[in-house]
Amino acid sequence: RRIDDAKMGGQNSAIEYSERSHLCTAFQPALCARLVAEEAARAGLDPQEATGGLRTGCDDLPDAFRGTPICPEDLDMHVVAVQEPTTGTWMFQVVWAALFGLSSSVMQLGRWSQFLQAICRRVAALMWSMYVDDGLDVDAAAAGQGGQDLAAAVFQALGTPLAPAKPMAAENVF
């Protein structure tokens, strides 16, 4: 497949960021487990008895760059040029998504990931974390797939459907 390599346009060297991106680390599931254990202890409960044990589930945003919303005023930076192979005619397409190779696309995707994480945490009350295009849910075993299903419904409602979920398990690769 063709790659819309925006790096060749020289935009990357002209971009300056006013903020720094922050992503969770691979320790995020352990941090969630520690927070659950601390909260259970504060309430005088045994964490294992209160939760039935913890499970984690991983999810993925398929074609994440293509699913990142772009503001209409930024579309002039999201034009892909392709030469038609038989006639040599140049054709142009405005892309309503982040372009591969454009450094601002990485920042945009990071903002979108942080927004999705915040919605899942604050609105859906999930222990949800995002690392770029990968989502992670930590939940009580008793909840089954409930938290993961809720996150999928939130993402669907926002127009960013998740790939089919990996089952919740005691161990997962995030």
Side-chain angles (χ1 to χ4, degrees):
R1 83 175 191 197
R2 292 188 178 272
I3 296 176
D4 48 308
D5 191 355
K7 183 178 178 181
M8 294 179 66
Q11 296 98 325
N12 288 346
S13 59
I15 295 171
E16 186 175 322
Y17 304 106
S18 60
E19 80 270 16
R20 295 187 62 127
S21 182
H22 170 75
L23 299 170
C24 66
T25 69
F27 293 107
Q28 191 67 28
L31 175 61
C32 290
R34 187 182 86 198
L35 293 172
V36 168
E38 288 173 359
E39 191 58 34
R42 235 186 316 279
L45 302 170
D46 174 77
Q48 183 68 25
E49 288 178 19
T51 64
L54 295 178
R55 299 292 182 264
T56 111
C58 300
D59 293 283
D60 183 61
L61 286 172
D63 296 322
F65 278 101
R66 294 281 185 233
T68 304
I70 301 298
C71 294
E73 59 268 18
D74 295 333
L75 286 175
D76 58 342
M77 296 298 289
H78 293 265
V79 178
V80 175
V82 179
Q83 194 170 25
E84 205 281 321
T86 54
T87 65
T89 304
W90 281 97
M91 303 174 84
F92 301 88
Q93 174 69 47
V94 175
V95 179
W96 288 77
L99 298 180
F100 177 81
L102 189 58
S103 63
S104 63
S105 293
V106 176
M107 194 63 79
Q108 287 282 74
L109 181 58
R111 290 177 186 137
W112 186 237
S113 294
Q114 289 172 346
F115 171 75
L116 294 170
Q117 175 177 281
I119 291 291
C120 285
R121 288 179 178 181
R122 290 173 177 88
V123 175
L126 295 172
M127 284 191 290
W128 184 268
S129 301
M130 292 292 298
Y131 182 78
V132 189
D133 64 340
D134 296 314
L136 171 82
D137 182 35
V138 175
D139 212 343
Q145 297 286 131
Q148 214 173 14
D149 291 344
L150 178 57
V154 167
F155 279 62
Q156 181 72 38
L158 292 170
T160 308
L162 292 166
K166 297 173 187 165
M168 295 290 281
E171 282 185 28
N172 246 313
V173 177
F174 176 45

